[in-house]
Amino acid sequence: SQTIHQWPATLVQPVGSPLSLECTVEGTSNPNLYWYRQAAGRGLQLLFYSVGIGQISSEVPQNLSASRPQDRQFILSSKKLLLSDSGFYLCAWSALDTRVTQYFGPGTRLLVL
Amino acid sequence: GDSVTQMEGPVTLSEEAFLTINCTYTATGYPSLFWYVQYPGEGLQLLLKATKADDKGSNKGFEATYRKETTSFHLEKGSVQVSDSAVYFCALSDSGGGADGLTFGKGTHLIIQP
Protein backbone atom coordinates (compact mmCIF):
# COMPACT_ATOMS: atom_id res chain seq x y z
CA SER A 1 0.00 0.00 0.00
CA GLN A 2 1.01 3.60 -0.48
CA THR A 3 2.18 5.80 2.36
CA ILE A 4 3.24 9.42 2.51
CA HIS A 5 5.66 10.84 5.05
CA GLN A 6 6.43 14.39 6.08
CA TRP A 7 9.06 15.76 8.39
CA PRO A 8 9.57 17.39 10.63
CA ALA A 9 6.19 17.20 12.32
CA THR A 10 6.67 20.53 14.08
CA LEU A 11 9.11 23.35 13.51
CA VAL A 12 9.73 26.68 15.24
CA GLN A 13 11.96 29.03 13.28
CA PRO A 14 13.02 32.67 13.65
CA VAL A 15 12.13 35.25 11.04
CA GLY A 16 14.77 35.39 8.32
CA SER A 17 15.97 31.82 8.77
CA PRO A 18 15.90 29.23 5.95
CA LEU A 19 13.36 26.43 5.66
CA SER A 20 13.36 22.93 4.27
CA LEU A 21 10.38 20.61 4.60
CA GLU A 22 10.48 17.15 3.11
CA CYS A 23 7.80 14.84 1.77
CA THR A 24 8.30 11.30 0.50
CA VAL A 25 5.88 8.79 -0.95
CA GLU A 26 6.24 5.01 -0.82
CA GLY A 27 4.50 2.26 -2.74
CA THR A 28 3.86 4.08 -6.00
CA SER A 29 5.79 5.36 -9.00
CA ASN A 30 5.48 8.61 -10.95
CA PRO A 31 3.04 10.24 -8.54
CA ASN A 32 1.77 13.77 -8.92
CA LEU A 33 2.88 15.67 -5.82
CA TYR A 34 1.40 18.74 -4.14
CA TRP A 35 2.19 21.23 -1.39
CA TYR A 36 -0.69 22.98 0.40
CA ARG A 37 -0.72 25.48 3.24
CA GLN A 38 -3.45 25.70 5.84
CA ALA A 39 -3.38 28.97 7.75
CA ALA A 40 -5.18 29.25 11.08
CA GLY A 41 -8.94 29.46 10.62
CA ARG A 42 -8.70 29.19 6.85
CA GLY A 43 -9.00 26.53 4.22
CA LEU A 44 -6.23 24.93 2.24
CA GLN A 45 -4.31 26.82 -0.39
CA LEU A 46 -2.42 25.01 -3.12
CA LEU A 47 1.18 26.24 -3.27
CA PHE A 48 2.95 23.97 -5.76
CA TYR A 49 2.38 20.82 -7.74
CA SER A 50 4.68 18.54 -9.71
CA VAL A 51 4.01 15.96 -12.40
CA GLY A 52 7.59 14.68 -12.55
CA ILE A 53 11.22 15.09 -11.51
CA GLY A 54 12.31 18.69 -11.87
CA GLN A 55 8.84 19.84 -12.98
CA ILE A 56 7.29 22.36 -10.62
CA SER A 57 4.22 24.53 -11.08
CA SER A 58 3.57 27.40 -8.71
CA GLU A 59 0.04 28.52 -7.97
CA VAL A 60 0.70 31.71 -6.03
CA PRO A 61 3.61 34.13 -5.85
CA GLN A 62 5.28 33.87 -2.47
CA ASN A 63 8.36 33.54 -0.39
CA LEU A 64 8.56 29.78 -0.89
CA SER A 65 9.94 27.43 -3.54
CA ALA A 66 9.63 23.74 -4.24
CA SER A 67 11.86 21.09 -5.77
CA ARG A 68 11.51 17.48 -6.81
CA PRO A 69 14.97 15.91 -6.92
CA GLN A 70 13.68 12.34 -7.03
CA ASP A 71 10.51 10.68 -8.28
CA ARG A 72 8.95 10.29 -4.85
CA GLN A 73 10.51 13.21 -3.00
CA PHE A 74 9.10 16.72 -2.81
CA ILE A 75 10.80 19.53 -0.89
CA LEU A 76 9.43 22.90 0.20
CA SER A 77 12.03 25.59 0.87
CA SER A 78 12.54 29.20 1.75
CA LYS A 79 15.71 31.28 1.93
CA LYS A 80 14.29 33.73 4.50
CA LEU A 81 11.13 33.00 6.44
CA LEU A 82 8.47 35.64 7.11
CA LEU A 83 6.00 35.74 9.97
CA SER A 84 3.24 35.15 7.44
CA ASP A 85 4.79 31.80 6.49
CA SER A 86 3.48 30.28 9.72
CA GLY A 87 0.91 27.56 9.15
CA PHE A 88 0.26 23.90 8.65
CA TYR A 89 1.92 22.51 5.52
CA LEU A 90 0.46 19.47 3.88
CA CYS A 91 1.95 17.32 1.16
CA ALA A 92 -0.31 15.20 -1.04
CA TRP A 93 0.03 12.75 -3.87
CA SER A 94 -2.19 11.41 -6.63
CA ALA A 95 -1.64 8.49 -8.96
CA LEU A 96 -0.56 9.14 -12.52
CA ASP A 97 -3.49 7.21 -13.94
CA THR A 98 -6.18 8.47 -11.53
CA ARG A 99 -5.12 12.04 -11.08
CA VAL A 100 -8.25 13.24 -9.41
CA THR A 101 -8.05 11.72 -5.92
CA GLN A 102 -5.35 13.14 -3.67
CA TYR A 103 -4.00 11.55 -0.50
CA PHE A 104 -2.47 13.67 2.21
CA GLY A 105 0.46 13.33 4.56
CA PRO A 106 0.35 14.04 8.31
CA GLY A 107 1.51 17.64 7.86
CA THR A 108 4.19 19.91 9.30
CA ARG A 109 3.25 22.66 11.71
CA LEU A 110 5.52 25.68 11.20
CA LEU A 111 5.68 28.59 13.60
CA VAL A 112 7.79 31.56 12.60
CA LEU A 113 8.67 33.89 15.47
CA GLY B 1 -12.68 30.41 -11.24
CA ASP B 2 -13.69 27.37 -9.25
CA SER B 3 -14.94 27.76 -5.70
CA VAL B 4 -16.45 25.74 -2.87
CA THR B 5 -18.74 27.15 -0.20
CA GLN B 6 -19.55 25.32 3.00
CA MET B 7 -20.92 26.26 6.40
CA GLU B 8 -18.01 27.06 8.68
CA GLY B 9 -19.48 26.35 12.07
CA PRO B 10 -18.69 25.29 14.64
CA VAL B 11 -21.58 22.89 14.35
CA THR B 12 -22.44 21.37 17.73
CA LEU B 13 -24.64 18.29 17.96
CA SER B 14 -25.52 15.70 20.54
CA GLU B 15 -24.48 12.10 20.07
CA GLU B 16 -26.86 10.12 17.82
CA ALA B 17 -28.20 13.28 16.15
CA PHE B 18 -28.61 13.57 12.39
CA LEU B 19 -25.88 15.50 10.62
CA THR B 20 -25.98 17.63 7.50
CA ILE B 21 -23.08 19.79 6.37
CA ASN B 22 -23.94 21.81 3.29
CA CYS B 23 -21.53 22.23 0.40
CA THR B 24 -22.12 24.04 -2.88
CA TYR B 25 -19.67 24.61 -5.67
CA THR B 26 -18.93 26.66 -8.75
CA ALA B 27 -16.92 25.08 -11.55
CA THR B 28 -16.43 25.63 -15.25
CA GLY B 29 -16.24 21.96 -16.21
CA TYR B 30 -17.51 18.70 -14.79
CA PRO B 31 -15.71 18.38 -11.49
CA SER B 32 -15.16 15.47 -9.18
CA LEU B 33 -16.27 16.16 -5.62
CA PHE B 34 -14.74 15.11 -2.32
CA TRP B 35 -15.19 15.24 1.41
CA TYR B 36 -12.06 15.12 3.56
CA VAL B 37 -11.90 14.92 7.35
CA GLN B 38 -9.17 16.36 9.56
CA TYR B 39 -8.82 15.20 13.16
CA PRO B 40 -6.98 17.52 15.58
CA GLY B 41 -3.29 17.85 14.78
CA GLU B 42 -3.45 15.50 11.79
CA GLY B 43 -3.46 15.67 8.02
CA LEU B 44 -6.52 15.24 5.82
CA GLN B 45 -8.13 11.87 5.25
CA LEU B 46 -10.31 11.17 2.25
CA LEU B 47 -13.79 10.42 3.54
CA LEU B 48 -15.73 9.92 0.31
CA LYS B 49 -15.93 11.06 -3.28
CA ALA B 50 -18.18 11.22 -6.34
CA THR B 51 -16.96 11.67 -9.87
CA LYS B 52 -20.15 12.30 -11.85
CA ALA B 53 -23.65 13.61 -11.45
CA ASP B 54 -26.03 11.54 -9.29
CA ASP B 55 -23.18 9.45 -7.89
CA LYS B 56 -23.40 8.80 -4.17
CA GLY B 57 -20.22 8.51 -2.16
CA SER B 58 -20.35 6.72 1.17
CA ASN B 59 -17.99 5.67 3.93
CA LYS B 60 -18.18 5.06 7.70
CA GLY B 61 -21.89 5.91 7.74
CA PHE B 62 -21.39 9.22 5.91
CA GLU B 63 -23.03 9.86 2.54
CA ALA B 64 -23.05 12.61 -0.06
CA THR B 65 -24.79 12.78 -3.44
CA TYR B 66 -23.44 14.73 -6.39
CA ARG B 67 -26.31 17.04 -7.44
CA LYS B 68 -25.46 18.80 -10.66
CA GLU B 69 -28.77 20.65 -10.87
CA THR B 70 -28.19 22.35 -7.51
CA THR B 71 -24.35 22.25 -7.71
CA SER B 72 -24.27 20.68 -4.26
CA PHE B 73 -22.57 17.83 -2.42
CA HIS B 74 -24.04 17.88 1.09
CA LEU B 75 -22.56 15.53 3.69
CA GLU B 76 -24.98 13.51 5.84
CA LYS B 77 -24.83 10.97 8.61
CA GLY B 78 -27.81 9.44 10.34
CA SER B 79 -26.37 9.09 13.83
CA VAL B 80 -23.16 10.88 14.82
CA GLN B 81 -20.70 9.76 17.47
CA VAL B 82 -18.28 11.68 19.67
CA SER B 83 -15.47 10.25 17.55
CA ASP B 84 -16.85 12.11 14.51
CA SER B 85 -15.72 15.41 16.03
CA ALA B 86 -13.33 16.90 13.49
CA VAL B 87 -13.08 19.49 10.72
CA TYR B 88 -14.72 18.47 7.44
CA PHE B 89 -13.62 19.89 4.10
CA CYS B 90 -15.56 19.82 0.86
CA ALA B 91 -13.37 19.96 -2.25
CA LEU B 92 -13.53 19.72 -6.01
CA SER B 93 -11.18 18.78 -8.79
CA ASP B 94 -11.84 20.38 -12.14
CA SER B 95 -8.58 19.35 -13.74
CA GLY B 96 -10.12 17.53 -16.69
CA GLY B 97 -7.53 14.79 -16.30
CA GLY B 98 -4.66 17.12 -15.52
CA ALA B 99 -2.68 17.31 -12.30
CA ASP B 100 -4.04 20.53 -10.87
CA GLY B 101 -4.70 20.79 -7.18
CA LEU B 102 -7.99 20.59 -5.37
CA THR B 103 -10.15 23.60 -4.57
CA PHE B 104 -11.25 23.45 -0.93
CA GLY B 105 -13.96 25.02 1.12
CA LYS B 106 -12.89 26.67 4.37
CA GLY B 107 -13.87 23.66 6.45
CA THR B 108 -16.66 22.96 8.94
CA HIS B 109 -15.73 22.31 12.54
CA LEU B 110 -18.03 19.62 13.95
CA ILE B 111 -18.33 19.08 17.70
CA ILE B 112 -20.29 16.10 19.00
CA GLN B 113 -21.25 16.18 22.66
CA PRO B 114 -21.96 12.99 24.64
Side-chain angles (χ1 to χ4, degrees):
Chain A
S1 65
Q2 301 87 7
T3 56
I4 179 169
H5 304 280
Q6 288 186 245
W7 63 89
T10 305
L11 191 60
V12 181
Q13 292 285 95
V15 170
S17 63
L19 174 74
S20 181
L21 303 182
E22 189 164 344
C23 169
T24 58
V25 181
E26 296 178 355
T28 187
S29 297
N30 304 314
N32 299 311
L33 296 172
Y34 308 84
W35 279 112
Y36 290 85
R37 176 168 58 202
Q38 184 179 22
R42 301 176 64 179
L44 280 80
Q45 180 185 37
L46 177 66
L47 302 176
F48 302 94
Y49 68 92
S50 171
V51 299
I53 295 174
Q55 301 179 62
I56 308 295
S57 297
S58 174
E59 288 296 297
V60 293
Q62 58 205 314
N63 185 43
L64 302 168
S65 62
S67 61
R68 186 169 176 175
Q70 300 179 40
D71 181 46
R72 290 170 288 177
Q73 183 185 31
F74 205 23
I75 297 172
L76 184 69
S77 304
S78 174
K79 293 182 179 178
K80 287 186 178 182
L81 283 168
L82 306 173
L83 286 174
S84 58
D85 292 324
S86 293
F88 192 46
Y89 289 84
L90 289 158
C91 182
W93 71 274
S94 65
L96 184 66
D97 55 348
T98 56
R99 293 168 175 165
V100 172
T101 303
Q102 295 182 19
Y103 301 92
F104 285 79
T108 294
R109 190 163 303 281
L110 172 65
L111 179 60
V112 182
L113 300 176
Chain B
D2 297 344
S3 67
V4 175
T5 302
Q6 60 180 112
M7 50 202 297
E8 292 187 32
V11 174
T12 304
L13 296 173
S14 298
E15 205 166 20
E16 299 183 3
F18 184 86
L19 169 70
T20 300
I21 300 178
N22 290 336
C23 171
T24 56
Y25 67 89
T26 303
T28 53
Y30 298 93
S32 294
L33 302 173
F34 305 85
W35 277 101
Y36 284 86
V37 57
Q38 184 178 34
Y39 298 101
E42 298 183 9
L44 272 69
Q45 298 177 24
L46 178 65
L47 182 59
L48 53 84
K49 67 178 182 181
T51 57
K52 60 182 187 296
D54 299 326
D55 270 1
K56 177 186 283 188
S58 61
N59 185 27
K60 299 181 181 179
F62 290 90
E63 293 183 340
T65 301
Y66 188 161
R67 301 287 188 198
K68 189 166 182 285
E69 62 277 11
T70 55
T71 61
S72 65
F73 193 53
H74 304 322
L75 182 69
E76 297 181 336
K77 186 175 185 182
S79 177
V80 293
Q81 306 300 314
V82 172
S83 58
D84 294 326
S85 299
V87 180
Y88 292 81
F89 290 92
C90 185
L92 70 82
S93 174
D94 195 16
S95 63
D100 297 349
L102 297 170
T103 299
F104 284 88
K106 291 188 176 181
T108 300
H109 186 193
L110 176 65
I111 301 170
I112 306 301
Q113 296 178 334

